[in-house]
Amino acid sequence: MNSIDIDVGGTFTDLVLNYDGRTVIKKVPTTPYDLSVCFTNVIDEGAQALGMRMEAMLPLIDMVRYSTTIALNRLIERKGPRLGLITTEGHEDTTLIGRGAQWIDGTRVQERRNLSVQKKPDPIIPRELIVGVKERMDSGGRIIRPLDENDVREKVRYLVSKGARAFVVSLLWGFLNPEHEKKVKEIIRSEFQDFHIGYMPVVLAGQVVGKLGEYERTMAAILDAYLQRSMQIELSTCWDKLRDRGYKRTLSMIQSSGGIAEVFKTTASRTFNSGPVSGLMGAHHMAKGLGFQNVVMADVGGTSFDVGLVVKDSVRSYDFRPVIDRWMVGITMIKTLSIGAGGGSIAYLNKLLNNQLQVGPKSAGSMPGPVCFNRGGTEPTVTDADVVLGYINPQFYYGGKLNLNKEKATAAIRDKIAKPLGMSVEEAAATIRKIVDGNMSSAIMKEVHLRGYSPEEFILFVAGGAGATHVEGFRSDIPKAVLFPFSPVFCAYGSSTMDIMHVYELSKRLTLMEPRTGVLTEDYKVFNGAVERLIADARRDLKGDGLDPAGANFILELDMLYGGQFHVKRALSPRLSIQSAEDVTAICDAFEKEFSEAFSPFVVNPEGGVFVDSFVLKAVVPTPKAPLPKMPLEGSDSGAAFKGERPAYWPDRKDFAATKTYSFEKLRPGNVIDGPSIVEGEYTTLVVPPGLKFSIDEHGLGILE
């Protein structure tokens, strides 16, 4: 399948182009003022690498997949319309009260320690734009107070008079019975019809999140409404440029649930964290091809460091109530960890801590970027330190397309870090590198240890443009690291391995096994009815995408818990429906196995009963994937890739030493390089310290061990 996969990062925009059996990877600087510019620039670079014009190539492309941070960027900037929130009378303050942890949701540990300045975030929708309407459902979805339509019209007109330009409708228990929410939307439409200039979008919370949790459900709907317009404008611009140049298929978005869907079927909140999730899915695909069970995916970009785990050939580790910016939402996302550490992370002296040297989380981004980029940056960064230490070749950065200014980087580190601390420039640069590597290593160890695993059981997959440059510092106790030819664009590669997937969730409490007695349920209709409802929704949407539902795989996951316990565990159901006691037993046994592996066999509590809290259906349509190549080994001599020597600083020697450099692209399977050495690729540089060796395996992958 001819495909284009694009990942827009804070510093660079990455491309993986699969065309007629060839794979091309490219990077261009991100253009934050207009993301459609870097979007078309990187496609044009890929077409040129094939010797084609973009207009000749795009009509032959079958799929374009796109992951982006548009939504998060716009939320951080608070660039959204004034919204009006319509809720059930008496519940107008739900989003303002929030949950107990809202004071610290989305803040860093260092910020949480300073209790005196903690405060709730300013609400996206202020109290004056929140109204309650006369209606009420009970917890079973039964109407106990009919909707007062005249009251709705009065409240809608009030919101418009206050400046509302879009509406969020979140009624109590509206996800169980959407009748009132839909009626409110009809009333708004009758007042402000879609052919009027004053057309206003309406988002129904029950359609965004179909499960329990009033605050989380409402906040997800608010974020969707708040970000809808800005994402629509930016993505429409990208879409128009594709169509103008001859592309005839759909534009697909990467979703944080681990699948892809048409841009017209994707809500803004489900695109959060899509880049790291696509990288993790790519790691899962590669792990299966290489026969690895446990993998740490570590992506070092210009702005952030992202970590994800593949455990026992599975990525089914979820955040059930993730925090987006400062708000908890009810959207299930695949779990990854991000910290502010990357090539653009700024090094500074914290005067409040007696001039302690700290690195990140603030980043120089792509504009102006690190000082060495020569674009007006003045704050020393991690990339500046790498240049000063001789690890990055100023004449070969970004494939030689961007010449770096080593003198400016040296001056910035000397004036802002070295002199105030009374150390040499090289010592200051090495300390910057040591601190950022320590931050990244700590993030990996937290993810591994806090989930109950040992790092010695894992393989490290290195991703991101700065990943190879720092892997020797952050790999910690993981014995082996794998470097891919496409590591600098790993998230874009990951999206090329992803299947089309829609995810549907429904809250419905069901007792599978009675407490104490252990009696299994015989009420199969409730279970099967919930699944059938989700499958019907999936079939409808797949047909709308132009896909054959008969070619889809339906996967059922259940949010389950034991009696007497509060937290749920999502387990893969071995049955799509239950017809007998044996089916119920199989589901309970599968839950017990996953629960004991995740926590401990000692906390398994079937005597308390087994309960289903929510149903989660995944409709998956597989997409073709490029196979791993296999090549004959050609011997250990890497002389053909030798480029020369240059001075590089090695901390154990506390001095510069002449260091051999090699071309990554010229290394052949079987070649071995001993440290200390440096391996330069078009978009990344690998640092091999003394005591480690780097080799190329039969798949063309680099192994650092």
Side-chain angles (χ1 to χ4, degrees):
M1 183 173 68
N2 294 338
S3 63
I4 290 174
D5 293 272
I6 295 175
D7 176 55
V8 179
T11 307
F12 286 101
T13 294
D14 302 339
L15 168 86
V16 172
L17 168 61
N18 290 302
Y19 184 86
D20 199 21
R22 291 181 60 188
T23 298
V24 173
I25 67 171
K26 288 292 176 183
K27 291 174 88 77
V28 301
T30 294
T31 51
Y33 58 87
D34 184 352
L35 295 182
S36 68
V37 174
C38 55
F39 179 83
T40 50
N41 285 348
V42 79
I43 295 176
D44 192 39
E45 290 261 341
Q48 289 180 30
L50 293 172
M52 302 176 69
R53 292 174 61 249
M54 185 167 31
E55 291 78 4
M57 179 189 73
L58 280 175
L60 304 175
I61 297 296
D62 300 306
M63 178 177 281
V64 176
R65 288 168 283 215
Y66 187 47
S67 60
T68 177
T69 57
I70 293 175
L72 184 58
N73 294 344
R74 296 300 170 262
L75 183 59
I76 291 171
E77 296 162 0
R78 297 295 186 268
K79 290 183 177 178
R82 283 174 66 83
L83 303 177
L85 172 61
I86 300 173
T87 187
T88 302
E89 189 176 59
H91 293 261
E92 294 89 345
D93 295 317
T94 297
T95 58
L96 306 179
I97 295 170
R99 294 171 61 91
Q102 193 188 21
W103 294 89
I104 59 171
D105 280 344
T107 60
R108 298 190 301 273
V109 174
Q110 293 92 327
E111 295 171 323
R112 297 173 191 176
R113 289 173 179 153
N114 190 356
L115 296 176
S116 61
V117 298
Q118 292 302 321
K119 65 175 184 176
K120 290 186 178 183
D122 294 331
I124 293 177
I125 303 181
R127 181 63 181 86
E128 65 174 7
L129 286 169
I130 302 174
V131 298
V133 294
K134 297 174 181 178
E135 71 85 37
R136 186 62 189 266
M137 300 273 182
D138 69 7
S139 59
R142 293 176 292 271
I143 298 173
I144 56 177
R145 185 185 188 185
L147 180 69
D148 186 331
E149 297 187 14
N150 291 329
D151 182 54
V152 173
R153 292 182 190 277
E154 181 182 326
K155 299 291 174 55
V156 167
R157 289 167 186 157
Y158 162 81
L159 291 174
V160 173
S161 72
K162 288 292 184 180
R165 291 297 172 262
F167 299 97
V168 176
V169 183
S170 181
L171 304 181
L172 204 62
W173 303 105
F175 68 96
L176 285 180
N177 184 345
E179 182 180 333
H180 283 179
E181 286 192 355
K182 289 181 177 179
K183 188 63 181 177
V184 171
K185 184 174 182 177
E186 289 175 13
I187 293 170
I188 295 173
R189 281 285 160 266
S190 68
E191 295 280 328
F192 307 97
Q193 299 190 23
D194 52 10
F195 54 83
H196 290 161
I197 293 174
Y199 167 78
M200 299 186 195
V202 181
V203 175
L204 304 184
Q207 293 181 348
V208 174
V209 178
K211 63 180 185 180
L212 199 66
E214 184 184 1
Y215 171 70
E216 297 94 326
R217 183 174 66 256
T218 305
M219 285 312 310
I222 288 173
L223 293 182
D224 277 342
Y226 190 70
L227 300 167
Q228 183 185 53
R229 190 66 59 85
S230 61
M231 287 196 68
Q232 182 184 39
I233 292 170
E234 296 208 35
L235 290 171
S236 294
T237 306
C238 295
W239 172 254
D240 290 342
K241 289 186 176 182
L242 286 174
R243 303 296 285 185
D244 291 345
R245 290 162 174 78
Y247 179 63
K248 301 174 182 177
R249 305 295 180 99
T250 61
L251 175 61
S252 296
M253 292 290 295
I254 309 304
Q255 297 190 330
S256 50
S257 58
I260 58 174
E262 257 193 56
V263 66
F264 303 114
K265 299 288 179 66
T266 302
T267 59
S269 57
R270 295 186 187 275
T271 67
F272 279 96
N273 213 36
S274 57
V277 167
S278 61
L280 181 56
M281 299 305 291
H284 183 223
H285 172 71
M286 290 302 301
K288 286 199 292 187
L290 295 169
F292 297 143
Q293 287 281 308
N294 300 325
V295 171
V296 174
M297 188 282 298
D299 186 333
V300 189
T303 304
S304 64
F305 174 67
D306 304 307
V307 182
L309 299 188
V310 179
V311 178
K312 296 183 179 177
D313 195 29
S314 172
V315 292
R316 292 192 310 104
S317 182
Y318 301 101
D319 273 329
F320 294 104
R321 292 185 174 92
V323 175
I324 295 176
D325 192 348
R326 295 293 308 277
W327 290 280
M328 185 179 289
V329 297
I331 297 169
T332 303
M333 298 182 181
I334 289 181
K335 185 180 291 185
T336 60
L337 173 68
S338 295
I339 65 170
S345 294
I346 293 173
Y348 64 98
L349 300 179
N350 191 330
K351 294 179 181 179
L352 296 177
L353 296 176
N354 197 27
N355 270 2
Q356 184 184 88
L357 175 58
Q358 296 183 340
V359 183
K362 189 176 179 182
S363 172
S366 58
M367 296 290 178
V371 176
C372 60
F373 277 19
N374 230 2
R375 293 176 178 163
T378 58
E379 301 296 329
T381 67
V382 172
T383 297
D384 293 314
D386 291 333
V387 170
V388 168
L389 295 172
Y391 298 138
I392 291 178
N393 183 351
Q395 280 72 52
F396 195 65
Y397 187 76
Y398 188 35
K401 297 176 186 175
L402 181 61
N403 287 326
L404 304 182
N405 191 323
K406 184 176 180 179
E407 290 72 24
K408 280 192 174 182
T410 302
I413 293 176
R414 180 183 62 242
D415 296 342
K416 299 208 171 184
I417 306 296
K419 276 188 177 180
L421 294 180
M423 58 174 62
S424 68
V425 174
E426 293 78 18
E427 288 175 324
T431 306
I432 291 171
R433 183 178 167 91
K434 183 177 181 180
I435 290 172
V436 75
D437 288 351
N439 292 342
M440 293 187 286
S441 177
S442 176
I444 290 177
M445 291 304 101
K446 283 179 182 176
E447 277 295 278
V448 174
H449 287 305
L450 291 180
R451 293 202 205 174
Y453 305 112
S454 172
E456 291 81 6
E457 301 170 352
F458 284 79
I459 301 293
L460 179 66
F461 282 4
V462 183
T469 312
H470 289 266
V471 61
E472 57 89 13
F474 67 70
R475 71 185 182 91
S476 190
D477 296 327
I478 300 176
K480 182 185 292 187
V482 180
L483 185 70
F484 302 89
F486 44 81
S487 278
V489 295
F490 197 85
C491 289
Y493 167 79
S495 66
S496 75
T497 70
M498 294 172 71
D499 297 322
I500 298 169
M501 183 169 73
H502 294 283
V503 181
Y504 305 86
E505 299 185 54
L506 175 66
S507 278
K508 187 176 285 291
R509 176 59 74 94
L510 176 65
T511 302
L512 289 183
M513 180 189 293
E514 293 286 349
R516 294 187 303 276
T517 63
V519 174
L520 301 177
T521 182
E522 294 182 355
D523 191 3
Y524 306 149
K525 286 184 179 180
V526 176
F527 185 99
N528 295 338
V531 177
E532 287 164 7
R533 172 179 165 181
L534 296 177
I535 289 178
D537 290 343
R539 292 184 186 279
R540 181 197 64 225
D541 289 347
L542 290 174
K543 285 181 180 178
D545 289 349
L547 300 169
D548 183 6
N553 299 321
F554 295 107
I555 300 169
L556 179 64
E557 295 180 349
L558 302 170
D559 290 344
M560 301 177 67
L561 70 161
Y562 288 115
Q565 297 181 353
F566 177 75
H567 293 289
V568 302
K569 172 73 175 74
R570 182 161 295 181
L572 180 65
S573 173
R575 304 283 191 273
L576 267 181
S577 64
I578 54 176
Q579 310 296 337
S580 65
E582 288 75 18
D583 292 337
V584 179
T585 301
I587 293 173
C588 292
D589 289 346
F591 169 59
E592 180 176 325
K593 183 175 184 294
E594 290 200 32
F595 189 92
S596 61
E597 287 177 352
F599 303 109
S600 165
F602 299 107
V603 292
V604 170
N605 184 34
E607 293 79 11
V610 179
F611 302 90
V612 174
D613 202 58
S614 297
F615 293 76
V616 182
L617 182 81
K618 295 180 178 179
V620 181
V621 179
T623 58
K625 300 167 184 63
L628 270 175
K630 196 168 183 178
M631 298 167 282
L633 299 179
E634 299 181 15
S636 61
D637 184 14
S638 55
F642 182 68
K643 294 181 70 173
E645 293 186 347
R646 71 165 180 269
Y649 185 90
W650 300 105
D652 56 336
R653 300 177 183 179
K654 296 185 178 180
D655 200 359
F656 284 88
T659 304
K660 294 181 178 180
T661 62
Y662 298 84
S663 168
F664 184 82
E665 285 77 15
K666 291 183 179 180
L667 290 171
R668 303 300 303 157
N671 287 180
V672 178
I673 295 172
D674 292 316
S677 57
I678 294 171
V679 183
E680 296 179 345
E682 184 178 5
Y683 296 124
T684 192
T685 299
L686 171 68
V687 176
V688 186
L692 296 185
K693 71 172 182 177
F694 181 67
S695 58
I696 305 296
D697 73 0
E698 60 186 355
H699 302 294
L701 310 181
I703 309 296
L704 182 71
E705 56 189 335

